[in-house]
Amino acid sequence: MPQPAVGGGPCSVPCRSSIQCIVPPYMLDRLTHSADAKVRDRAIAGLSRSAAVRAVRAFAQEIPGMIAVPSPAASKNRLVYDAKGKDSLPGRLVRSEGQKKSADVAVNEAYDHCGDTYDFYRELFERNSLDGSGMTLISTVHVGEPDQAGKFQPMDNAFWDGTQMAYGDGDGVVFQRFTRSLDVVAHELTHGVQSFTSNLVYRGQSGALNEHFSDVFGVLVRQWKLGEKADKASWLIGADVLVPAQTRRAIRDMENPGTAYLDDPDLGTDPQPAHMKDFYSGAADNGGVHLNSGIPNRAFALVARELGGFAWETAGRIWYDAMFQLSSRSQFADIQAITTQIAADDKRFGKDAKKIVAAAWKKVGL
Amino acid sequence: MADVESPRAPLKVTFEQSGGFAGLVKGCVLDADALPADESAELRRLVAASGLETSSKVTSRGARDRRQLAITIDRGGERVAIVCDDGCTPEGARPLVAFLAARAKPVRP
Ligand SMILES: [Zn+2]
């Protein structure tokens, strides 16, 4: 069974990743002074290994190709781990590719939604997994976080740590299991795809584009799975992970950014701008990566609805190509220019596509 | 530096949590003087235990949808500003972050 070479997010403080912390460096350090030559040699080897592992991790997350865990047959290969309510990644392996259903619904959701996302990229874009070479899809469910007393509680979040997905179960008051939403799982996996393509810097406008692509392909995987046409489709993100309430419909609304929740006691009011005039320029959220993504999200939904048919066959193809053509520092003006240019191929997209794309960007203030 | 655990030492903590998959922005400002005695003592204890003595900015490299944390500790004019994310919060500061997060309310960014 292939095991991930690395896991967890590297940082300048003691790391909570299991692999790196099997024998803590300080303990190895101590053993290097041991009177027993064998112990000393092993500790020195271990210490250089752990230093090497740290260096590889730091390097690998800048260059994601380094850390892709290959799959045995370079094909769909899912591994689902259980953090058992703690925060150590990846946790214990509970379901591998081809194994029968688990009794744990979160495990099956992570497995199935990863499978749908893999199939989407493979069947529609001939892309073999996140890296295009069949890399293993690693998920950890039941991730927790400590409260002020140090007692672990279910995490209210889902994230991509640079090598794998991590999902919390939510507090049960506002959030439910993050594995419930196919669009959430596809969003996280698309962060992985991006790290092998445009690798947009996760800050400011390039970061908002990174979030935008994850929402675009998150929603497209769901629409594809449900067979929804663009004009009838839902453009909500994360509707299934919220505990239903009058004040909330979803986490984001791509068609109408800023309207997913209103005066909610726990969420407040959806802060996403729908137009450049409301562009957020503060420091929160890495310079508003989850906020300003509302602007290109709306442009995409406008294009998809206007082009008609299935969004993954029309607007989705324009945006997929754009994901490869953008660079890590691309800004909103760059995606505007590139998608308009790609849409000008009337053999692929029809004679009106260029006009439709240009009009959508204009409507959001670009 | 004045002993932050002393009930008379000035202490004001500003906290903002943003991002995460949901992109929520929440925050709170806690003034030790204005809190009930037990909360005030707990805040002082957690700040003292946090080890947050110098300003810093760190992020988990390669991570996406982590929550960004911004903490400013003002000890009567001596200010320390920390920006990190929930994947690389200094270990000793995690209980303080949990305490602050439990008191944070949605704010308009
Ligand atoms: Zn994201």
Side-chain angles (χ1 to χ4, degrees):
Chain A
M1 189 61 56
Q3 293 292 317
V6 289
C11 35
S12 59
V13 292
C15 209
R16 294 180 286 278
S17 167
S18 60
I19 289 175
Q20 201 177 316
C21 305
I22 294 165
V23 180
Y26 67 86
M27 208 180 275
L28 284 172
D29 217 353
R30 217 185 214 162
L31 293 173
T32 59
H33 302 299
S34 170
D36 182 330
K38 262 193 197 146
V39 171
R40 200 168 54 226
D41 288 352
R42 268 208 303 273
I44 289 167
L47 198 58
S48 58
R49 243 195 335 269
S50 89
V53 164
R54 274 197 302 279
V56 167
R57 288 166 62 94
F59 180 62
Q61 293 192 324
E62 294 295 295
I63 302 166
M66 290 290 295
I67 41 80
V69 178
S71 52
S75 58
K76 181 158 64 179
N77 187 44
R78 292 161 286 179
L79 300 178
V80 184
Y81 291 77
D82 186 348
K84 297 189 175 292
K86 301 278 176 50
D87 62 355
S88 189
L89 299 181
R92 196 170 74 89
L93 183 62
V94 287
R95 190 175 175 194
S96 310
E97 188 64 39
Q99 284 187 342
K100 65 174 174 35
K101 263 188 180 325
S102 159
D104 182 336
V105 63
V107 170
N108 297 328
E109 285 167 347
Y111 184 89
D112 292 343
H113 292 160
C114 266
D116 289 335
T117 307
Y118 177 93
D119 293 345
F120 171 89
Y121 278 109
R122 179 102 222 202
E123 288 174 25
L124 299 175
F125 299 102
E126 292 170 14
R127 184 172 186 83
N128 182 8
S129 192
L130 312 183
D131 62 343
S133 304
M135 103 180 233
T136 296
L137 303 175
I138 299 168
S139 315
T140 300
V141 299
H142 304 310
V143 177
E145 56 192 342
D147 63 16
Q148 68 187 78
K151 193 167 168 268
F152 277 89
Q153 304 294 340
M155 182 176 72
D156 273 341
N157 199 18
F159 63 86
W160 164 258
D161 88 334
T163 64
Q164 68 154 93
M165 283 76 60
Y167 301 98
D169 290 328
D171 59 1
V173 177
V174 183
F175 293 105
Q176 311 186 56
R177 289 188 315 277
F178 278 75
T179 45
R180 281 173 55 95
S181 268
L182 173 56
D183 48 280
V184 171
V185 173
H187 173 112
E188 294 309 329
L189 284 160
T190 301
H191 279 309
V193 173
Q194 292 189 72
S195 66
F196 292 97
T197 54
S198 51
N199 201 19
L200 286 150
V201 172
Y202 206 53
R203 171 160 295 284
Q205 285 199 13
S206 57
L209 289 178
N210 196 314
E211 275 304 310
H212 164 60
F213 279 108
S214 278
D215 276 351
V216 162
F217 290 98
V219 90
L220 288 183
V221 172
R222 194 192 65 220
Q223 291 181 4
W224 171 74
K225 183 74 182 171
L226 298 174
E228 289 178 339
K229 287 207 165 153
D231 58 340
K232 301 268 189 327
S234 160
W235 294 92
L236 299 179
I237 298 285
D240 300 331
V241 306
L242 289 178
V243 175
Q246 290 275 322
T247 48
R248 53 181 96 119
R249 297 184 294 127
I251 288 175
R252 286 183 279 281
D253 181 342
M254 295 180 68
E255 201 173 11
N256 298 290
T259 68
Y261 46 91
L262 181 71
D263 289 333
D264 186 276
D266 297 290
L267 303 172
T269 293
D270 182 356
Q272 278 209 310
H275 191 279
M276 283 303 281
K277 70 175 161 39
D278 299 315
F279 185 87
Y280 170 76
S281 54
D285 184 26
N286 283 313
V289 299
H290 296 85
L291 306 176
N292 293 324
S293 55
I295 295 166
N297 278 359
R298 180 169 168 232
F300 179 83
L302 284 167
V303 169
R305 288 190 60 111
E306 199 60 38
L307 287 173
F310 296 119
W312 60 89
E313 287 179 350
T314 55
R317 293 203 173 271
I318 299 173
W319 258 250
Y320 185 79
D321 286 1
M323 190 158 62
F324 284 81
Q325 292 184 33
L326 291 175
S327 68
S328 62
R329 307 214 169 256
S330 290
Q331 306 287 296
F332 285 7
D334 300 313
I335 190 175
Q336 175 191 22
I338 282 173
T339 51
T340 310
Q341 190 190 330
I342 295 168
D345 184 345
D346 40 335
K347 279 203 201 76
R348 285 179 75 199
F349 304 110
K351 63 175 174 41
D352 295 331
K354 184 182 172 187
K355 224 168 31 193
I356 287 169
V357 171
W361 287 117
K362 198 165 175 209
K363 197 153 186 180
V364 301
L366 275 149
Chain B
M1 197 177 295
D3 179 9
V4 75
E5 289 199 73
S6 152
R8 281 183 304 278
L11 174 66
K12 193 166 130 181
V13 181
T14 307
F15 175 75
E16 183 190 73
Q17 179 187 295
S18 58
F21 180 86
L24 301 176
V25 185
K26 292 180 161 197
C28 61
V29 180
L30 300 180
D31 189 334
D33 276 346
L35 290 173
D38 55 341
E39 290 255 309
S40 176
E42 182 66 356
L43 178 64
R44 290 176 186 286
R45 190 186 69 74
L46 292 170
V47 168
S50 72
L52 302 178
E53 302 288 345
T54 49
S55 295
S56 65
K57 193 168 181 177
V58 284
T59 49
S60 299
R61 226 176 329 197
R64 307 288 182 248
D65 297 324
R66 284 288 200 176
R67 284 165 293 192
Q68 181 183 308
L69 310 169
I71 309 161
T72 305
I73 300 170
D74 188 334
R75 298 163 167 102
E78 277 179 69
R79 289 179 62 180
V80 169
I82 291 98
V83 179
C84 60
D85 64 50
D86 58 4
C88 60
T89 311
E91 201 63 39
R94 295 181 96 197
L96 172 65
V97 167
F99 178 90
L100 297 169
R103 282 151 185 81
K105 296 267 175 276
V107 291
R108 194 83 194 157

